[in-house]
Amino acid sequence: MKRLVDVRGLEVVRAGRTVLSLPRLTIAQGEVLALMGPNGAGKSTLLLAIAGLLPPTRGEIWFAGERLTRRNALALRRRMALVLQEPQLLSTTVWNNVALGLRFRRLPRPEIRQRTETWLERLGIAHLAQRRAGQLSGGEAQRVSLARAFALEPDLLLLDEPFSALDTETRADLIADLRHLLAASGATALLVTHYEEEARQLATRTLRLVDGKPAD
Amino acid sequence: MAFVWRGLLQAIELLWQGDAEVLGITLLSLKVSGLATSLSLLIGLPLGTLLALGRFRGRSFLLSLANTGMALPPVVVGLGVSILLWRSGPLGSLRLIYTPAAIVIAQVIIAVPVVTSLTAAALQQLDPRLRLQLLGLGASQIQVVFTLWLEARLPLLAALMAGFGSVISEVGASMMVGGNIRGQTRVLTTAIVLETGKGQFDRAIALSILLLTLTFLVNLGLTLIQQRRPPL
Ligand SMILES: Nc1ncnc2c1ncn2[C@@H]1O[C@H](COP(=O)(O)OP(=O)(O)OP(=O)(O)O)[C@@H](O)[C@H]1O
Ligand SMILES: [Mg+2]
């Protein structure tokens, strides 16, 4: 299968400490890789590095055959989408939040409208389109955050513990939905999770990090 | 206390008649302070943004400098600008002393730290992870800045109002660098000082009412913008 992400000899030093040291990691197209490990293991750090938001101290990150540098960071970033543990919605309508990344990309208006509609629908939040972000429940907000990422139809989805703030039921619902969406879109994803269950249901492979290093 | 009441009535009469001089003074105040506020926004918004979001040495120092600048006494600014613009001073050849332009310069110096400092505070109040999220959705650095401005529009407009408030109400600097010349550099605050000194309370009260009304209307306009639902 084609290689989408290739991380070589990656080292990230934060506040004087090596928090990530990864000799090699490849993610193939269509793969859903679960990233597990205790708090502070470097999972979020890896996600941010691949997203080009945290410059590596050493090593290289390749994305779709291109080496990630300062110069192409924006272009490559626009082929990915990031979902954080807390949704980080803007204080505007749900619609505007979902359209946000599409507007950043300056897509034509009709396309923005069509994609926003589609993904609001697919995540079951079309009825909330005109609701303000501040008036959503945690689960609804997380759906908005996912819709916002999926609407970009990215080559790579970076999901950092997207369900950890949710109750068991909401989470089961969302996981089921996400599983369908991932399967249907054939998207490649890197999913940080603390739950074996989540990894088993969503991922095709699991990488465990401990103290910034891969553990077996 | 009767003379206050009488002053108030005479003030209303003055306003009602549309006294040309009073009108001219009011318009000049609005022009000078409006221009000074706009310029301080042009300088303070990017500067405050840089101080809030940038990562460079001396950032905290500059931020505390801006915070201190909020308490800059207008008379000190007036003194500094006077020295600069004095006929024999370093910028004396520009012949700006005792012109409305001199007042604008002094007021910009007064308002820039206010706008800068409150802009920085407004942006630092946002969750730092929001920036990562925006970048992670494909925003360019410029798009991040614009989105954060939009997200912080309430405190940013408050910063603008505070900037306008600091200059429309100051008298020391306007007096010193403008000279309170009738028909040329007389603004509402300096005129109030003058009329009060002469015991002309009716005119002083009329001018005060105008000053308060002007300030109210400008802030009303900004508040209406502030409380409107966001366009994005
Ligand atoms: N902004 C930062 N500055 C300095 N060090 C940081 C910063 N963010 C994280 N770290 C450190 O980097 C290490 C890895 O953090 P990271 O956030 O990648 O862990 P994580 O695996 O995502 O943990 P969690 O499961 O708690 O989210 C930790 O030791 C953390 O203290
Ligand atoms: Mg983390």
Side-chain angles (χ1 to χ4, degrees):
Chain A
M1 241 198 261
K2 244 187 91 190
R3 208 176 275 157
L4 184 65
V5 179
D6 192 351
V7 173
R8 298 178 202 157
L10 180 69
E11 256 184 57
V12 179
V13 177
R14 296 182 98 170
R17 221 161 48 82
T18 303
V19 297
L20 187 63
S21 168
L22 199 59
R24 188 75 194 263
L25 169 68
T26 57
I27 305 174
Q29 206 128 43
E31 197 173 22
V32 178
L33 177 65
L35 195 55
M36 301 194 67
N39 292 129
K43 305 181 296 294
S44 299
T45 302
L46 176 58
L47 227 69
L48 293 180
I50 291 176
L53 299 178
L54 194 67
T57 314
R58 260 180 291 280
E60 300 170 5
I61 295 168
W62 290 73
F63 184 85
E66 263 186 85
R67 183 173 170 190
L68 186 66
T69 61
R70 272 177 75 109
R71 195 123 45 79
N72 64 11
L74 178 62
L76 293 188
R77 212 161 66 218
R78 286 191 171 164
R79 299 172 61 180
M80 314 181 200
L82 180 68
V83 175
L84 296 177
Q85 182 170 350
E86 282 124 52
Q88 300 295 344
L89 302 181
L90 296 177
S91 58
T92 171
T93 59
V94 165
W95 176 283
N96 284 333
N97 270 287
V98 174
L100 188 64
L102 300 167
R103 289 184 179 151
F104 286 152
R105 285 160 178 73
R106 302 193 187 293
L107 295 183
R109 271 159 179 268
E111 188 172 354
I112 293 180
R113 187 163 351 108
Q114 182 255 316
R115 282 218 229 168
T116 304
E117 235 160 55
T118 304
W119 288 99
L120 282 169
E121 199 73 50
R122 289 201 188 147
L123 277 140
I125 47 175
H127 61 294
L128 299 174
Q130 293 313 315
R131 188 84 74 81
R132 315 275 305 169
Q135 303 162 344
L136 298 173
S137 74
E140 289 165 346
Q142 201 53 264
R143 281 178 186 272
V144 175
S145 180
L146 284 169
R148 179 166 72 172
F150 271 99
L152 303 174
E153 293 167 12
D155 295 335
L156 178 66
L157 271 163
L158 299 166
L159 310 166
D160 197 351
E161 304 186 41
F163 312 123
S164 54
L166 307 177
D167 66 59
T168 331
E169 237 174 90
T170 310
R171 181 192 185 121
D173 282 355
L174 259 178
I175 290 175
D177 286 354
L178 182 59
R179 194 157 74 155
H180 285 123
L181 292 177
L182 286 173
S185 61
T188 313
L190 184 55
L191 168 76
V192 176
T193 174
H194 285 288
Y195 299 91
E196 297 281 355
E197 178 68 15
E198 221 170 280
R200 206 172 38 246
Q201 293 185 54
L202 293 171
T204 51
R205 182 160 69 103
T206 298
L207 170 71
R208 203 171 291 278
L209 281 181
V210 177
D211 276 336
K213 293 180 206 68
D216 303 304
Chain B
M1 283 311 280
F3 74 92
V4 176
W5 184 240
R6 209 168 52 236
L8 209 61
L9 286 179
Q10 286 174 18
I12 291 168
E13 209 180 307
L14 256 178
L15 294 179
W16 191 253
Q17 291 165 352
D19 184 280
E21 192 186 354
V22 170
L23 203 71
I25 291 173
T26 309
L27 279 180
L28 185 64
S29 268
L30 185 61
K31 261 193 257 172
V32 164
S33 293
L35 183 60
T37 308
S38 309
L39 290 175
S40 68
L41 183 69
L42 237 51
I43 302 168
L45 186 64
L47 208 58
T49 303
L50 203 66
L51 289 179
L53 308 180
R55 256 177 262 135
F56 51 90
R57 275 181 52 190
R59 192 180 67 95
S60 306
F61 175 73
L62 287 174
L63 206 51
S64 60
L65 213 62
N67 288 331
T68 310
M70 288 213 286
L72 205 58
V75 285
V76 174
V77 175
L79 174 63
V81 174
S82 291
I83 292 172
L84 277 178
L85 299 183
W86 206 255
R87 268 180 288 278
S88 54
L91 300 177
S93 57
L94 296 177
R95 302 193 158 277
L96 287 177
I97 191 86
Y98 302 142
T99 64
I103 308 181
V104 171
I105 292 171
Q107 291 195 345
V108 167
I109 295 173
I110 292 168
V112 160
V114 175
V115 176
T116 303
S117 191
L118 295 180
T119 293
L123 293 175
Q124 286 186 315
Q125 212 180 294
L126 298 172
D127 192 326
R129 283 168 300 188
L130 179 57
R131 271 167 88 189
L132 283 181
Q133 176 67 84
L134 295 176
L135 290 168
L137 288 169
S140 66
Q141 298 290 346
I142 301 276
Q143 287 172 330
V144 168
V145 167
F146 275 101
T147 309
L148 294 183
W149 281 348
L150 216 54
E151 190 63 9
R153 63 195 171 275
L154 277 113
L156 285 180
L157 276 156
L160 189 62
M161 289 185 230
F164 180 73
S166 71
V167 294
I168 192 72
S169 64
E170 74 75 31
V171 55
S174 297
M175 192 72 97
M176 292 161 87
V177 305
N180 196 23
I181 302 169
R182 185 174 185 184
Q184 289 178 36
T185 58
R186 186 162 297 167
V187 292
L188 283 168
T189 52
T190 59
I192 291 168
V193 170
L194 181 80
E195 301 294 354
T196 305
K198 291 196 298 193
Q200 302 265 18
F201 293 119
D202 55 338
R203 289 185 74 83
I205 292 173
L207 292 164
S208 297
I209 292 173
L210 275 169
L211 180 58
L212 292 176
T213 308
L214 190 67
T215 312
F216 173 73
L217 288 178
V218 168
N219 280 311
L220 180 69
L222 290 175
T223 306
L224 287 178
I225 297 173
Q226 186 188 43
Q227 299 300 324
R228 212 180 42 189
R229 292 207 153 181
L232 184 111

